[in-house]
Amino acid sequence: MAPSCLFSSLPEKSIDIVKVFSIFSEKFLTRSHSSYPDPFLRILTMSTTKDPSDQKLDAESTVKRNPHPDFKGVEASRPDFDQSSQFRFTKTPQPGWKPGEGANNPPPADAKHREIDPYEEGRPIIHNYKLLISGIVPRPVGFVATNTPEGTTNLAPFSYFSLISHDPPLFTLGFSGGFDRPKDTLSNLIKTEECTLNIISEDFIEAANYTALNCPVGISEWTFAGLTPAKSSLVKVDRVKEAVFSIEAKLVETREWESKVIKGKKTGVLAIVEGVRFWVREDAVDEPGVLIDPKVLRPISRLGGITFARVTEAFELPRPVYGEITKDPEIAKLAKPKTEGQ
């Protein structure tokens, strides 16, 4: 973190303190949050902006995700949401596919790819953001609840969210902006080290989306969404009762990222949290507690722009076993160190 970010208002006589802090920060910035001495952590997580809404670094006025000047007008022209559509299993796209056959629907022979340098001179970083969220899809949405140390509640959706381990159960959350201008969720997570992760379903997507509201500090999104808080067992943060699947979690560590374009600018934070308790609606989980019924979960995924997707169809595809498939002499011929063209 550049000292100028934190100490721009200090008098000149404080310059020696600033230098000491600069050395100290360089040493500790890459550590887990739990490695910071408490006073340092408080300074590190302070916001230097006067307007709390300025901390919402992905505000629509900046990111401009919505491509429609008149969204309600565009929405009115579309068919109604199909409430009758139920989750179902289908065959795979090409049940007769055989090893070595490649794509079952190959692109045109003259199809070409465009090479894009993410750091190309003149390319706005926001273009990388929009490209990535439209290409890395579908993404699960992490519906994260946190509290301030004083008890103010917060609820927000995150599409930079994923499962990375089952033993221990670990999840990642990605935040735009650095520790110097933390989003409410990140600030709360650092201070209390607790949160709940809730999976969004079709049944409350509008309410969940409304929690992306850029509320001022001290104002809870829960009331705007109208969702129901349910008590957790091991953390003080409430889970969302409407969620079919929720996870109580505790912070493991964080890491801050720096821009490759603007030297010294902190552009993101990765948080890893550990799931310490699972909650699944009884009508959605099997007896052993290992499989959640997608017909009940009805999960929502994130696509590019302001687009979401529902899951109504699926197919099952067993993983191949090398020792079994290579018993076929024709398939065994495919066992090579390289494929054609490499």
Side-chain angles (χ1 to χ4, degrees):
M1 182 179 302
S4 58
C5 296
L6 291 173
F7 298 96
S8 57
S9 61
L10 289 179
E12 290 185 3
K13 64 182 180 181
S14 301
I15 190 65
D16 290 339
I17 297 177
V18 174
K19 289 181 178 178
V20 171
F21 186 87
S22 176
I23 297 172
F24 186 69
S25 64
E26 286 294 325
K27 182 176 181 181
F28 286 96
L29 260 178
T30 57
R31 289 192 181 185
S32 158
H33 76 286
S34 59
S35 302
Y36 293 121
D38 287 345
F40 178 71
L41 181 59
R42 285 195 292 271
I43 295 174
L44 185 61
T45 56
M46 276 194 313
S47 170
T48 58
T49 56
K50 295 180 180 180
D51 183 357
S53 64
D54 287 344
Q55 298 177 34
K56 316 297 183 181
L57 299 183
D58 65 340
E60 294 308 304
S61 60
T62 301
V63 177
K64 298 180 180 178
R65 274 184 287 253
N66 183 2
H68 311 296
D70 177 20
F71 172 74
K72 282 299 181 182
V74 173
E75 183 182 47
S77 69
R78 295 170 173 168
D80 292 338
F81 186 88
D82 187 359
Q83 297 285 0
S84 66
S85 179
Q86 299 295 316
F87 179 88
R88 63 173 186 162
F89 281 102
T90 69
K91 297 177 181 178
T92 63
Q94 182 56 269
W97 185 92
K98 297 178 181 179
E101 288 187 346
N104 54 48
N105 185 24
D110 59 350
K112 297 181 180 180
H113 285 76
R114 175 183 168 189
E115 181 179 354
I116 298 176
D117 178 357
Y119 305 122
E120 180 183 2
E121 185 176 356
R123 178 179 173 84
I125 291 300
I126 196 67
H127 286 190
N128 292 340
Y129 170 75
K130 291 183 176 182
L131 177 69
L132 291 173
I133 66 169
S134 65
I136 310 302
V137 293
R139 299 187 307 283
V141 183
F143 199 26
V144 185
T146 56
N147 294 345
T148 67
E150 297 74 31
T152 299
T153 59
N154 182 269
L155 190 58
F158 288 84
S159 66
Y160 285 178
F161 163 73
S162 189
L163 166 69
I164 58 170
S165 172
H166 64 277
D167 184 17
L170 296 177
F171 307 84
T172 57
L173 288 169
F175 299 87
S176 297
F179 287 127
D180 56 336
R181 299 177 68 188
K183 290 189 174 184
D184 295 341
T185 300
L186 177 58
S187 178
N188 295 345
L189 188 58
I190 289 174
K191 294 172 183 176
T192 68
E193 302 187 353
E194 295 182 341
C195 69
T196 63
L197 308 173
N198 307 271
I199 300 303
I200 298 175
S201 298
E202 295 175 14
D203 300 321
F204 60 96
I205 178 58
E206 291 88 355
N209 180 62
Y210 222 78
T211 64
L213 196 66
N214 59 332
C215 292
V217 174
I219 300 298
S220 176
E221 294 83 2
W222 279 87
T223 56
F224 288 97
L227 293 170
T228 310
K231 295 301 178 185
S232 297
S233 291
L234 302 181
V235 303
K236 296 179 181 179
V237 184
D238 292 330
R239 53 194 169 84
V240 177
K241 186 176 182 180
E242 288 81 358
V244 174
F245 184 36
S246 297
I247 301 162
E248 296 181 35
K250 295 188 178 183
L251 182 61
V252 176
E253 63 179 296
T254 58
R255 177 169 176 174
E256 188 177 50
W257 307 105
E258 182 174 307
S259 171
K260 291 292 187 70
V261 178
I262 305 174
K263 187 173 178 58
K265 181 180 180 181
K266 307 304 179 181
T267 53
V269 172
L270 165 71
I272 298 176
V273 299
E274 178 186 354
V276 294
R277 188 67 93 246
F278 306 142
W279 293 82
V280 192
R281 215 169 77 188
E282 290 186 350
D283 62 334
V285 67
D286 59 4
E287 184 59 33
V290 299
L291 190 64
I292 297 176
D293 188 346
K295 289 184 290 188
V296 181
L297 183 61
R298 302 175 71 190
I300 288 293
S301 66
R302 198 73 164 86
L303 302 179
I306 60 172
T307 306
F308 293 83
R310 63 194 301 208
V311 179
T312 57
E313 289 187 349
F315 52 82
E316 295 180 317
L317 198 58
R319 290 191 177 188
V321 177
Y322 183 85
E324 292 296 321
I325 66 167
T326 52
K327 289 178 180 178
D328 183 328
E330 291 302 311
I331 296 179
K333 293 178 182 179
L334 299 174
K336 303 176 182 179
K338 292 184 179 181
T339 192
E340 186 178 350
Q342 291 184 321

